[in-house]
Coordinates of all heavy atoms in Angstrom, one line a residue:
L1 N -6.4 12.5 -1.5 CA -7.7 13.1 -1.5 C -8.8 12.0 -1.4 O -9.7 12.1 -0.7 CB -7.9 13.9 -2.8 CG -7.1 15.2 -2.9 CD1 -7.3 15.9 -4.2 CD2 -7.6 16.2 -1.8
G2 N -8.6 10.9 -2.2 CA -9.5 9.8 -2.2 C -9.6 9.1 -0.8 O -10.7 8.8 -0.3
A3 N -8.4 9.0 -0.1 CA -8.4 8.4 1.2 C -9.2 9.3 2.2 O -9.9 8.9 3.1 CB -7.0 8.2 1.7
G4 N -9.0 10.6 2.0 CA -9.7 11.6 2.9 C -11.2 11.5 2.7 O -11.9 11.4 3.7
F5 N -11.7 11.4 1.5 CA -13.1 11.2 1.3 C -13.6 9.9 1.8 O -14.7 9.8 2.4 CB -13.5 11.4 -0.2 CG -13.3 12.8 -0.7 CD1 -12.6 13.1 -1.9 CD2 -13.9 13.9 0.0 CE1 -12.4 14.4 -2.3 CE2 -13.7 15.2 -0.4 CZ -13.0 15.4 -1.6
K6 N -12.8 8.8 1.5 CA -13.2 7.5 1.9 C -13.3 7.4 3.4 O -14.2 6.6 4.0 CB -12.2 6.5 1.4 CG -12.6 5.0 1.5 CD -13.8 4.7 0.6 CE -14.0 3.2 0.6 NZ -15.0 2.8 -0.4
S7 N -12.5 8.1 4.1 CA -12.5 8.0 5.6 C -13.8 8.6 6.2 O -14.2 8.2 7.3 CB -11.3 8.8 6.2 OG -11.4 10.2 6.0
L8 N -14.5 9.4 5.4 CA -15.8 9.9 5.9 C -16.9 8.8 5.9 O -17.8 8.9 6.7 CB -16.2 11.1 5.0 CG -15.4 12.3 5.0 CD1 -15.9 13.3 3.9 CD2 -15.3 13.0 6.3
V9 N -16.8 7.9 5.0 CA -17.8 6.8 4.9 C -17.4 5.5 5.3 O -18.1 4.6 5.5 CB -18.4 6.8 3.4 CG1 -19.2 8.1 3.1 CG2 -17.4 6.5 2.4
G10 N -16.1 5.3 5.4 CA -15.5 4.0 5.8 C -15.3 3.1 4.6 O -15.7 3.3 3.5
G11 N -14.5 2.0 4.8 CA -14.2 1.1 3.7 C -12.8 1.0 3.5 O -12.0 1.8 4.0
E12 N -12.4 0.0 2.6 CA -11.0 -0.2 2.3 C -10.5 0.9 1.4 O -11.1 1.4 0.4 CB -10.9 -1.5 1.5 CG -9.4 -1.8 1.1 CD -9.2 -3.1 0.3 OE1 -10.2 -3.7 0.0 OE2 -8.1 -3.5 0.1
L13 N -9.3 1.3 1.7 CA -8.6 2.3 0.8 C -7.7 1.5 -0.2 O -6.6 1.2 0.1 CB -7.7 3.2 1.7 CG -8.4 4.0 2.8 CD1 -7.5 4.7 3.7 CD2 -9.5 4.9 2.2
K14 N -8.3 1.2 -1.3 CA -7.6 0.2 -2.2 C -6.3 0.8 -2.7 O -5.4 0.0 -2.9 CB -8.6 -0.1 -3.4 CG -9.7 -0.9 -2.9 CD -10.7 -1.4 -4.0 CE -11.8 -2.1 -3.3 NZ -12.6 -2.8 -4.3
G15 N -6.2 2.0 -3.0 CA -4.9 2.6 -3.4 C -3.8 2.5 -2.4 O -2.7 2.2 -2.7
M16 N -4.2 2.6 -1.1 CA -3.3 2.5 0.0 C -2.9 1.0 0.2 O -1.7 0.7 0.4 CB -3.9 3.0 1.3 CG -4.3 4.5 1.2 SD -2.9 5.6 0.9 CE -2.1 5.6 2.5
T17 N -3.8 0.1 0.0 CA -3.6 -1.3 0.1 C -2.6 -1.7 -1.0 O -1.6 -2.4 -0.7 CB -4.9 -2.1 0.0 OG1 -5.7 -1.8 1.1 CG2 -4.6 -3.6 0.0
K18 N -2.8 -1.3 -2.2 CA -1.9 -1.6 -3.3 C -0.5 -1.1 -3.0 O 0.5 -1.8 -3.2 CB -2.5 -1.0 -4.6 CG -1.6 -1.3 -5.8 CD -2.3 -0.7 -7.1 CE -1.4 -1.0 -8.3 NZ -1.9 -0.3 -9.5
M19 N -0.4 0.2 -2.5 CA 0.9 0.7 -2.2 C 1.6 -0.1 -1.1 O 2.8 -0.3 -1.2 CB 0.8 2.2 -1.7 CG 2.1 2.9 -1.5 SD 2.0 4.6 -1.0 CE 1.5 4.4 0.7
L20 N 0.9 -0.6 -0.1 CA 1.5 -1.4 1.0 C 2.0 -2.7 0.5 O 3.1 -3.2 0.8 CB 0.5 -1.6 2.1 CG 0.3 -0.3 3.0 CD1 -0.8 -0.6 4.0 CD2 1.6 0.0 3.8
V21 N 1.2 -3.3 -0.4 CA 1.6 -4.6 -1.0 C 2.9 -4.4 -1.8 O 3.8 -5.2 -1.7 CB 0.5 -5.2 -1.8 CG1 1.0 -6.4 -2.7 CG2 -0.7 -5.6 -1.0
Q22 N 2.9 -3.4 -2.6 CA 4.1 -3.1 -3.4 C 5.3 -2.8 -2.5 O 6.4 -3.2 -2.8 CB 3.9 -1.9 -4.3 CG 2.9 -2.2 -5.5 CD 2.5 -0.9 -6.2 OE1 2.7 0.2 -5.7 NE2 2.0 -1.1 -7.4
S23 N 5.1 -2.1 -1.4 CA 6.2 -1.8 -0.5 C 6.7 -3.0 0.2 O 8.0 -3.2 0.3 CB 5.7 -0.8 0.6 OG 5.4 0.5 0.0
R24 N 5.9 -3.9 0.6 CA 6.3 -5.1 1.2 C 7.1 -6.0 0.3 O 8.2 -6.5 0.6 CB 5.1 -6.0 1.7 CG 4.5 -5.5 3.0 CD 3.3 -6.3 3.4 NE 3.7 -7.7 3.6 CZ 3.6 -8.3 4.7 NH1 3.2 -7.7 5.8 NH2 4.0 -9.6 4.9
T25 N 6.7 -6.1 -1.0 CA 7.4 -6.9 -2.0 C 8.7 -6.3 -2.3 O 9.8 -7.0 -2.3 CB 6.5 -6.9 -3.3 OG1 5.3 -7.6 -3.0 CG2 7.3 -7.7 -4.4
E26 N 8.8 -5.0 -2.4 CA 10.1 -4.3 -2.7 C 11.0 -4.4 -1.5 O 12.2 -4.7 -1.7 CB 9.8 -2.8 -3.0 CG 11.0 -2.1 -3.5 CD 10.7 -0.7 -4.1 OE1 10.1 -0.6 -5.2 OE2 10.9 0.3 -3.3
A27 N 10.5 -4.2 -0.3 CA 11.4 -4.4 0.9 C 11.9 -5.8 1.0 O 13.1 -6.0 1.3 CB 10.6 -4.0 2.1
Q28 N 11.1 -6.8 0.7 CA 11.5 -8.2 0.8 C 12.5 -8.5 -0.2 O 13.5 -9.3 0.0 CB 10.2 -9.1 0.7 CG 10.4 -10.5 1.2 CD 9.0 -11.2 1.3 OE1 8.0 -10.7 0.8 NE2 9.1 -12.3 1.9
D29 N 12.3 -8.0 -1.4 CA 13.3 -8.2 -2.5 C 14.7 -7.6 -2.1 O 15.7 -8.3 -2.4 CB 12.8 -7.6 -3.8 CG 11.6 -8.4 -4.5 OD1 11.4 -9.5 -4.0 OD2 11.0 -7.8 -5.4
R30 N 14.6 -6.5 -1.6 CA 15.9 -5.8 -1.2 C 16.5 -6.6 0.0 O 17.8 -6.6 0.1 CB 15.6 -4.3 -0.8 CG 15.3 -3.5 -2.0 CD 15.0 -2.1 -1.7 NE 14.7 -1.4 -2.9 CZ 14.4 -0.1 -2.9 NH1 14.2 0.6 -1.8 NH2 14.1 0.5 -4.1
L31 N 15.7 -7.1 0.9 CA 16.2 -7.9 2.0 C 17.0 -9.2 1.4 O 18.1 -9.5 1.8 CB 15.1 -8.4 2.9 CG 15.4 -9.4 4.0 CD1 16.3 -8.7 5.0 CD2 14.2 -9.9 4.6
A32 N 16.4 -9.8 0.5 CA 17.0 -11.0 -0.2 C 18.3 -10.6 -0.9 O 19.3 -11.3 -0.8 CB 16.1 -11.7 -1.1
E33 N 18.3 -9.5 -1.5 CA 19.5 -9.0 -2.2 C 20.7 -8.7 -1.2 O 21.8 -9.1 -1.4 CB 19.3 -7.7 -3.0 CG 18.4 -7.9 -4.2 CD 18.0 -6.6 -4.8 OE1 18.4 -5.5 -4.4 OE2 17.1 -6.7 -5.7
A34 N 20.3 -8.2 0.0 CA 21.3 -7.9 1.0 C 21.9 -9.2 1.6 O 23.1 -9.3 1.8 CB 20.7 -7.0 2.1

């Protein structure tokens, strides 16, 4: 919902940025484990 409202006015989607950073870290950790 926040992203939908933010898209009306523009700017960084901080919740989405945080999720992507967490995803990259988790994927990289799993890569190292493999």
Side-chain angles (χ1 to χ4, degrees):
L1 290 173
F5 290 131
K6 189 71 167 186
S7 69
L8 296 173
V9 295
E12 181 183 6
L13 304 174
K14 292 184 182 190
M16 302 298 284
T17 299
K18 183 179 177 182
M19 185 178 75
L20 285 171
V21 169
Q22 290 171 341
S23 294
R24 281 178 62 113
T25 300
E26 191 169 280
Q28 201 168 8
D29 290 346
R30 290 179 179 175
L31 174 67
E33 289 170 10

